[in-house]
Amino acid sequence: MLRRTSLRTVGFGLSLAAMATFAAACSSSSDDDASAASSTTASAAPSSAAADSTTASAVPSSGGSDSLVLKTAKGTAGIWLTDPAGRTLYLSTKDKGTTSNCYDACAKKWPPLTTTKSVTVSGKYTVPSDVGTTNRTDGTKQVTYGGHPLYYFSGDSAPDQIKGQGVDGTWFLIGPIANIMNGSKP
C-alpha cells in the first residue's frame, strides 16, 4: 500500500532543507574566503598597464590600510606564487638581481607586478622576509620575492593558469621558497 504525503509536509521539509543548507554555507565561510572573493571580483585580468593590474589587486588588511597579499597555488607544476585573485606570477632569468630587464614590448607581454601598498605573503612554505620591492625606470615599485622581480603573463586569462611557464626558456613560475620552477617541484 502506498503512503500519501501531503504537499504541506513536502513544503515544510523543503523549507527545512533550504534553511539547513543556508546555515551551513554561512557558518563555513571564512574571512579569507570573503576577501578572496571580493578581490577576485575587483580584479581584472592583467593588463598591459602594470599599475592598473596591481592596484586592482590590493586588498584591505586587518589593520585598515591596504596591502597586497601574495598567495600560493598548487597544481601539476607544484606550488607557485599568485596574486590575491589567483593570477600566476613569474620571474625572468634575464633579470639581474632585483633589477628588471623587462620594459616596452616585453612589459606588454609580461606586465610587472607593481604596487604602492605594503606587500605580504601567505601560503604553504612561503617566507615573509623574501617579499620586497625594487624601483623601475618609470618610478613605480615592482614587487620582488627572494630578490626576483615578479610579472604576470598576458597569455594567462584565468586564475591558476600557467601558460607562461618556460616561455623562451627564461620565464618560469616562482615557488614559495623563491625557487625558480624550471621543471622541478619545490
Side-chain angles (χ1 to χ4, degrees):
M1 176 174 203
L2 292 175
R3 185 173 173 203
R4 296 188 133 209
T5 305
S6 72
L7 288 177
R8 184 176 184 186
T9 304
V10 171
F12 181 73
L14 289 174
S15 296
L16 283 177
M19 288 177 59
T21 302
F22 178 74
C26 289
S27 68
S28 68
S29 69
S30 69
D31 290 339
D32 289 339
D33 293 338
S35 67
S38 66
S39 67
T40 301
T41 304
S43 318
S47 68
S48 60
D52 292 342
S53 65
T54 306
T55 305
S57 298
V59 293
S61 68
S62 59
S65 65
D66 287 346
S67 67
L68 175 66
V69 182
L70 304 180
K71 298 184 178 187
T72 58
K74 184 177 181 181
T76 57
I79 300 172
W80 63 89
L81 290 183
T82 71
D83 74 357
R87 295 177 303 182
T88 300
L89 297 170
Y90 298 89
L91 61 81
S92 171
T93 56
K94 289 185 177 180
D95 288 340
K96 301 297 178 213
T98 60
T99 303
S100 173
N101 287 316
C102 186
Y103 291 92
D104 303 319
C106 175
K108 289 184 193 284
K109 187 174 181 180
W110 298 94
L113 173 60
T114 61
T115 190
T116 58
K117 311 297 181 190
S118 63
V119 184
T120 60
V121 64
S122 68
K124 193 170 188 175
Y125 307 118
T126 59
V127 182
S129 62
D130 279 351
V131 175
T133 59
T134 188
N135 292 322
R136 292 184 58 81
T137 58
D138 63 2
T140 60
K141 292 206 178 281
Q142 184 171 2
V143 178
T144 63
Y145 189 72
H148 301 285
L150 301 179
Y151 305 88
Y152 294 108
F153 176 53
S154 62
D156 288 343
S157 58
D160 299 329
Q161 286 187 338
I162 57 172
K163 293 178 182 178
Q165 173 67 349
V167 169
D168 298 328
T170 58
W171 293 94
F172 298 100
L173 298 169
I174 183 165
I177 55 173
N179 53 310
I180 300 171
M181 296 179 63
N182 57 358
S184 60
K185 294 182 181 178

